[in-house]
Amino acid sequence: MHEIFINYRTGDGDHLAATLDEALRHRFGDDAVFRDGRSIRAGAEYPHELLTHLRRSQAVLVVIGPQWATTEELRREDDWVRREILEARACRIPVVPVLADPSVRWLRRELLPSELAWLAELQAARYTPYHSARDLALIGDALLDLVPALDRAEQPPADEPAAGTSNSTTGGRHGTVVQGRDFGGDVAGTIYKGNTGPFNTGPGDQYVNAPRLSGDGATYVAGDSHGGVRHVFRRERDSRRDGNTP
C-alpha cells in the first residue's frame, strides 16, 4: 500500500516531487510512495486512481514551489492540486508542506485561498539543493514519526553489506576449493584444520624442506654449483657376509 502521497503542481515543484519520490522509494520501498506521473498506469481512470490512492495514504507531502501560493489555478475548485489537499483534510490525513526552494517564503494565511488558509498553521519542511542529502533525510525522519508503519519497510543503507558469508579465492586453482569452520555429522572428503605448511592431497610421497635419499648411496648438492659433479657407485658382494669364508 502507498503510505506517502506526493501532491505537486506541474511546472512549479515537479522536479522536487520527482526527487522526493526517488529518495523515499529508495528508503522505504517502491510500494510506499505514490506520485501520479509514475504510479498511474496507462489507460487507468485518472480521477479514480488519484482519489483512491490519496484516501488510502497515511501522509500527504504538498510540494510548495515559488509561485505556488499566488497561482490562479489554486483558486479554482476544479484544480487537482487544491482538490487533493482538501480531500486529505476531509479524510484527516496528515499534510506536510515542503518548501521547494530557499526563495520560497513560509505560507501566510492572507496569501492563500480561504479554504486552504489552515496550511499556514502547519509546520513545513524545507528542501535546499545544496543540503539535499540532509534535507531528504530529515523529511524521511518526519514521515517515520507520522507513519510508524514505514519503519518496517525501511531499506538498509546501500553501503551496508547484507548478513551472510562471503568467500573468495585468488590465484590459480584447479579442482574443488572448500572453506570450512565448524562441521557436524559426516563429511565426505578430507578436512585440514590448522595446517602450518604445505600438504599434498594426491597420491605419492611428499618431501618438504629435506632431500630424498635412497639406494646404496647418493650425492646431495645444495646451493650454487660451478663445474661438474661426478660420482661412481659400485656394489661388491662381501663373501664373508655370504658365509663363504671359513
Side-chain angles (χ1 to χ4, degrees), residues 17-154:
T19 299
L20 288 168
D21 183 26
E22 181 178 358
L24 296 174
R25 285 191 296 121
H26 179 73
R27 180 168 177 176
F28 300 121
D30 287 341
D31 294 336
V33 185
F34 179 91
R35 181 174 63 91
D36 60 356
R38 175 188 57 83
S39 303
I40 298 179
R41 66 187 185 280
E45 186 180 345
Y46 194 88
H48 172 76
E49 291 290 317
L50 276 178
L51 293 177
T52 298
H53 287 286
L54 174 65
R55 290 164 181 162
R56 293 175 179 174
S57 65
Q58 300 299 310
V60 175
L61 296 181
V62 178
V63 179
I64 311 293
Q67 308 302 321
W68 189 89
T70 57
T71 184
E72 289 298 324
E73 286 86 346
L74 193 63
R75 286 146 179 84
R76 289 167 29 189
E77 293 186 1
D78 61 348
D79 177 53
W80 269 104
V81 172
R82 173 190 172 115
R83 289 183 63 180
E84 291 168 5
I85 297 172
L86 292 176
E87 186 68 23
R89 178 76 163 179
C91 295
R92 305 183 66 83
I93 300 171
V95 173
V96 180
V98 181
L99 308 183
D101 189 88
S103 64
V104 179
R105 297 178 177 272
W106 298 96
L107 295 175
R108 295 166 53 187
R109 293 181 63 93
E110 61 270 21
L111 297 179
L112 295 170
S114 59
E115 296 84 358
L116 298 175
W118 53 272
L119 284 172
E121 300 174 358
L122 300 180
Q123 179 65 31
R126 184 179 289 277
Y127 173 84
T128 52
Y130 44 84
H131 288 147
S132 58
R134 180 202 66 184
D135 291 347
L136 290 170
L138 290 175
I139 293 169
D141 292 344
L143 289 169
L144 274 176
D145 291 338
L146 287 173
V147 188
L150 289 172
D151 186 44
R152 297 191 297 271
E154 191 167 8

Side-chain angles (χ1 to χ4, degrees), residues 164-183:
T165 302
S166 175
N167 302 299
S168 63
T169 60
T170 59
R173 54 189 180 275
H174 301 280
T176 303
V177 178
V178 178
Q179 176 175 314
R181 185 174 182 273
D182 298 327
F183 291 88

Side-chain angles (χ1 to χ4, degrees), residues 192-199 206 208-209:
Y192 296 88
K193 299 179 66 175
N195 57 289
T196 59
F199 58 86
Q206 176 176 318
V208 180
N209 298 327

